[in-house]
Amino acid sequence: MKALLVAINAKYIHSNLGIYSIYAYCREKGISARELSIREYTINQSLDSIIGNIYEEKPDLLGFSCYIWNMEIIRKVACEIHKILPGCMIWYGGPEVSYNGENVLQEDIWADGVMEGEGEQSFYEILCCFQKEGRRGEYGQIAGLVWRKGEQVLKTEPRVREKMDKFVFPYQYMERLENRIVYYETSRGCPYGCSYCLSSVEKKVYFRDLELVKKELQFFLDNRVPQVKFVDRTFNCNPAHTMEIWKYIQEHDNQVTNFHFELSADILTEEEIHYLRKFRPGLAQFEIGVQTTNLSTLEAINRRTDLQRLQRNVAKIREGRNIHQHLDLIAGLPYEDMASFQKSFNDVYEMQPDQLQLGFLKVLKGSPLYGKVAEFGIVYQSAAPYEVLYNKWISYGELLELKQVEEMVERFYNSMQFQAVITYLVWQSGDAFAFYDMLGKYFKEKGYLGLQQSRLQNYEILYEFCECAGSRLFCQSKINGKLLQELFLFDLYARENLKKEPKFLGNRTWRPEQKEWLRKFYQNQELNEKYLPGYQGYSWKQMLRMTHVEWFSYDIPAFVENGILEQKTTVVLFDYKKRNPLNYQAGYSIIKHPECV
């Protein structure tokens, strides 16, 4: 027997926890590496290359890991594999097929079966049955399956959830993870009942033993894995479990690994928030689902959120300046029209997340919301990812407009490359949503929407917007051109040490007195020790090339840090060896008493 577990990931950097877990479980049960192996692809690879690679393996049995983002390509691959390897048995598993297995097999006549729910033991038992009897085996004795027997589609009894401790650590057999995001779980299930989420179907949470978790965390730390993403649906639903893990990663920090957690911010305890101050910048990042601030919407989707406490806790975490916070919104929910969504957007924007994710409702098969689409007038795409097209409160055209807003937020806010400029422009406009909405309409009008632009091109387009359409948005007054130029310069040099400035900012050159000032500054050993402590052994000319000094007539750093804008001559030194791990911006310091140089 030769079996393959196949994953088709969204990107190469991603890994597939599902097939790793199944593989590790089967290996521990005695299935050899010769009998079972893993193949991972991406949705960006051609069908021919994926099909050809699988064909060359000549598998007897295939197991596909199915999600909304890869289901269509999996169907195409499986259909062709069935033609060229007609003796190969094809099984599906994963969340996209776990709640409608009978329908899947009726539509995909080339598939032999579907694993519903947890797949580790199910797939192992399928392999054992196949080894003994091949395709004609009695798979009806295996729990948690929908399978094809002749012309019939049969369903076995549901599989009882296993204790988390019984599952095998999924990465002990894996290699070459240094360039991949590693996904990891310490619990399964969710205590909450959000109606759009599949985790709401079963509210019980199963936890992995903390001693096992600590050993596994140490494996990641010892191997200096760049990022570990916990896929626990609500990581902090159990404070004792949460604190044990946070204490372990803080006390054993290798100064490299970043840990990503999905949290409910409104249930964070004071003890947890206080402890987070100990984390080094970049040790952890949080993904926090707000989804909406419309109370009627929250009630309709059965989401219990204390919005005021959520806002306070997000602010407390932000005060530490050591944890990246990613806040989520969902467009297309019941009772949320454009005006309501604008308020939700502005409410979340005011929380100053490091990134704001504007997502769109997906109507997932098996979720409680799936049974209420008629009640809410939800019309959604027929094929994966089943995204909302419109509902009673918001039209398709309005959702298209929100797509433009999403693109602008991704380009200019979530990229974290326009911090000073965007902060100023949103401040001037007085309405964050209105700003991104008008910017999106400008991109569409000019034909820029959906096109790839370089960072400098995005700067130039944004500058052009400020001089043209943007002026209507900013309090009916002309933007201060000198200040605007300085904000752009600050953002540009905070990201990289430009050797040539873009033409739209004037393509400046140093004046003779500035050149002389720079020579004196970099030749002054006392100032080097104060402002450039990491540059011992470099000549003054090398330090000049490796860093950047900029003169501003406004105190831009104070504006970026605390929102205070003051006209004041400020000399800033940008240090590209000291990058902020949260946003990758260069470190900077204000040179005191520059006239003394």
Side-chain angles (χ1 to χ4, degrees), residues 65 113 142 257 333 349 369 564:
S65 179
I142 301 172
T257 304
L333 293 171
Y349 198 90
L369 188 65
I564 298 172

Side-chain angles (χ1 to χ4, degrees), residues 378-594:
I378 297 173
V379 177
Y380 60 95
Q381 296 171 346
S382 299
Y386 315 113
E387 190 170 283
V388 63
L389 296 171
Y390 62 89
N391 62 32
K392 287 182 179 180
W393 297 272
I394 198 163
S395 69
Y396 177 67
E398 288 170 326
L399 287 170
L400 280 181
E401 188 175 334
L402 292 182
K403 291 279 187 179
Q404 295 173 191
V405 172
E406 177 197 24
E407 184 173 331
M408 295 304 99
V409 171
E410 282 296 311
R411 284 181 189 245
F412 294 105
Y413 187 83
N414 291 346
S415 65
M416 298 182 285
Q417 299 172 353
F418 304 81
Q419 189 173 7
V421 174
I422 289 297
T423 300
Y424 174 73
L425 295 178
V426 171
W427 178 55
Q428 280 287 91
S429 71
D431 185 313
F433 180 88
F435 165 74
Y436 288 105
D437 188 36
M438 179 171 279
L439 184 58
K441 290 173 180 174
Y442 182 79
F443 262 67
K444 183 178 181 181
E445 176 188 336
K446 294 293 183 179
Y448 301 141
L449 206 61
L451 301 178
Q452 288 288 340
Q453 279 98 11
S454 69
R455 187 168 62 87
L456 286 178
Q457 286 174 323
N458 279 324
Y459 268 109
E460 189 168 1
I461 295 170
L462 185 60
Y463 195 82
E464 173 190 298
F465 166 79
C466 293
E467 291 186 321
C468 302
S471 61
R472 300 194 302 271
L473 185 64
F474 306 121
C475 306
Q476 285 78 47
S477 63
K478 186 78 173 174
I479 293 179
N480 184 321
K482 174 64 174 173
L483 171 58
L484 188 66
Q485 183 186 48
E486 291 192 0
L487 292 163
F488 272 91
L489 286 169
F490 183 89
D491 280 338
L492 282 164
Y493 283 110
R495 180 57 56 160
E496 64 183 71
N497 190 3
L498 292 176
K499 300 306 179 186
K500 184 178 180 181
E501 289 182 0
K503 290 182 180 179
F504 73 92
L505 288 178
N507 200 14
R508 305 168 306 153
T509 57
W510 293 118
R511 300 191 305 272
E513 60 269 27
Q514 289 176 316
K515 290 181 180 179
E516 179 62 17
W517 187 97
L518 288 167
R519 183 185 64 79
K520 289 181 179 179
F521 174 78
Y522 283 101
Q523 287 180 342
N524 188 311
Q525 186 173 350
E526 183 179 346
L527 292 175
N528 287 173
E529 292 174 357
K530 180 178 180 180
Y531 293 105
L532 296 164
Y535 288 82
Q536 295 89 348
Y538 291 99
S539 70
W540 76 269
K541 289 185 177 179
Q542 287 175 317
M543 288 189 287
L544 174 64
R545 288 192 294 269
M546 294 169 70
T547 61
H548 179 77
V549 173
E550 187 61 52
W551 282 262
F552 297 99
S553 56
Y554 292 84
D555 190 346
I556 307 296
F559 177 65
V560 170
E561 291 169 13
N562 54 41
I564 298 172
L565 184 58
E566 180 183 2
Q567 192 163 2
K568 172 185 175 183
T569 300
T570 308
V571 182
V572 180
L573 170 68
F574 294 93
D575 185 348
Y576 302 99
K577 288 178 68 175
K578 293 182 179 178
R579 297 256 180 200
N580 184 327
L582 302 187
N583 58 19
Y584 201 63
Q585 300 285 62
Y588 58 82
S589 53
I590 298 174
I591 299 174
K592 305 294 184 181
H593 309 294

